[in-house]
Amino acid sequence: MLTFTGSSHAGAPAERRTAASAAKTAPGQAATAGELRDATLGYRANGRADSLVTGATAAPPLKKLWTRDSGRVVSAPVAVGGKVFRGGQRRRRHRGRPAHDARRNRCRHRQGSLAGRPAGAERAPGRGGVRGGLLYTQTARGTIAAWDPATGRQKWSLKLASATMQYPPVWYGGLVYLHDGRGTALALRADTGAKVWEAPLSEYAAAPTVVDASGVWIGFDSLGRHHLDLKTGAEPHSFHVPGVWGAYGHPVVLGAGAAWTRSDASGDVTVIAWDQKAGKAVRKLPADATPVFGPGRGYVAHLGKVRALYSSTYKAAGTCTSSVEAATVRLVAGGYVYVEDADGRLVVLDEKTGKVTWSYRRYPEPHPQSIILAEDDARGFVVPGIATSTSRLFVPSADGTLIAFGKA
């Protein structure tokens, strides 16, 4: 799993740091200038998991520039400046974390061979990211490490005694937040890896960690979600949500002033918005995929119909429909909405008009009788996110390759 250090969401207080102020602090303690815009810094783009990349410069139509083999499966890439990072399950012996020149398909260096099976090797939702000038990785068995992305040298590493980890750590305000999949959440100093706090959780399970100024959020199947204090790990609110079930960890997304969770319990396929302070449900929408948020809009998919909703009124601003009744929005960047259509295509929509501006077939159209969930591909793998930076788009392909696109 990969995560860059720096900020969790453009405009958040922890991210309003200049390059000059960052230069006065240790790596990992402050966002760099390049991380505050036009960069995809972790799984689902940022620490809020809302899939928004502010200041993105990539614009369709696009053409394929290069591909890179990652083995059996490739993780969600992260991209900042002139580099893109990805993890994979290698067909060959080496299972390191290569850094690629975003423009030339040149492998600059490897991030070292990490101990243990790579996190998410079977489903590869994401393996880390970049913040504050450091690259953070973790393995499924609980080795967390920080690297210098320019040289590939390891800054620090920490091996947890017991862990089953599928989702990457999240940087916010100079700390790295994660949970071990075995009932414990942790906060680490981003510059040294020293433990700041540990907190008990209600369940042993995979689940993404998301963070904003309100705290640390972790959702679990059927039991609800945790909201932890950034500095102490104390739980100011306990949220128990009976009868709510979300595949792969009841994921939480922070957007439009609420904490959103997805449920597919007993045919009740919905996303629910929760008040971040009171913990009460404030909105419920039909959806079979995790929602995504852009400027003034939310994007919700249900049975292949992607609806753009004004986040102030939740009235429809446009729709896009899949021919196979399954689709997921992967990214909102630079005025465009990137939709993973389960018919095998990546479809890019104009954010204002909803019109298709470009599409690319990533894999063959599935058999008409295939059962496809919106956030899975035809093989049942969780489809990882995509990344963009410096006018480039980086897309994991179904055959385990990473594809780079640029201006046509």
Side-chain angles (χ1 to χ4, degrees), residues 43-313:
Y43 177 59
R44 292 180 61 86
N46 55 59
R48 294 170 57 89
D50 61 7
S51 299
L52 172 64
V53 177
T54 59
T57 52
L62 302 167
K63 66 177 181 181
K64 184 190 292 187
L65 301 178
W66 50 259
T67 63
R68 190 75 177 188
D69 178 34
S70 294
R72 184 166 176 262
V73 66
V74 61
S75 73
V78 296
V80 59
K83 298 187 182 72
V84 58
F85 302 85
R86 58 95 176 102
Q89 186 181 32
R90 301 295 295 170
R91 295 187 182 96
R92 297 182 294 275
R93 238 173 104 184
H94 190 13
R95 295 194 295 191
R97 280 3 181 212
H100 298 293
D101 187 300
R103 299 179 182 273
R104 299 189 181 89
N105 188 24
R106 184 174 64 195
C107 187
R108 292 185 173 182
H109 55 76
R110 294 186 181 275
Q111 306 305 320
S113 184
L114 304 186
R117 174 173 168 267
E122 291 301 318
R123 296 185 177 271
R127 293 179 184 158
V130 177
R131 289 288 198 276
L134 292 180
L135 171 70
Y136 293 92
T137 63
Q138 68 183 43
T139 66
R141 294 176 182 173
T143 297
I144 303 101
W147 311 81
D148 182 335
T151 65
R153 294 177 181 174
Q154 188 179 95
K155 292 291 187 180
W156 57 260
S157 68
L158 172 68
K159 178 67 171 73
L160 302 181
S162 179
T164 303
M165 305 169 81
Q166 291 293 326
Y167 291 91
V170 176
W171 185 100
Y172 192 90
L175 298 182
V176 175
Y177 299 93
L178 63 144
H179 75 96
D180 61 8
R182 294 184 178 273
T184 303
L186 304 96
L188 311 176
R189 279 184 58 105
D191 55 350
T192 65
K195 290 184 182 179
V196 176
W197 54 255
E198 293 185 359
L201 300 174
S202 61
E203 188 171 342
Y204 285 27
T209 301
V210 298
V211 185
D212 70 356
S214 70
V216 182
W217 298 80
I218 304 170
F220 287 115
D221 290 351
S222 75
L223 292 181
R225 62 198 183 281
H226 292 271
H227 177 204
L228 307 178
D229 183 86
L230 289 167
K231 295 182 179 180
T232 66
E235 190 164 14
H237 308 98
S238 180
F239 299 115
H240 182 69
V241 190
V244 176
W245 189 272
Y248 313 120
H250 191 56
V252 178
V253 175
L254 304 177
W260 297 75
T261 58
R262 178 167 58 86
S263 171
D264 53 16
S266 303
D268 184 20
V269 184
T270 59
V271 290
I272 304 170
W274 307 89
D275 183 280
Q276 289 180 263
K277 294 183 178 180
K280 296 181 179 180
V282 295
R283 192 167 302 276
K284 187 175 182 179
L285 300 170
D288 54 9
T290 306
V292 168
F293 296 89
R297 297 186 183 185
Y299 299 88
V300 179
H302 184 235
L303 298 178
K305 179 177 288 187
V306 177
R307 293 188 297 157
L309 304 174
Y310 292 111
S311 54
S312 57
T313 63

Side-chain angles (χ1 to χ4, degrees), residues 21 37 42 81 88 161 248 268 401:
S21 65
R37 53 183 289 112
Y248 313 120
D268 184 20
T401 59

Side-chain angles (χ1 to χ4, degrees), residues 40 42 45 76-77 330-331 338 340 346 362 384-388 393-396:
T40 309
R330 294 295 175 195
L331 196 70
Y338 295 79
E340 178 74 28
L346 175 66
R362 292 173 58 191
I386 61 180
T388 184
L393 181 72
F394 305 99
V395 180

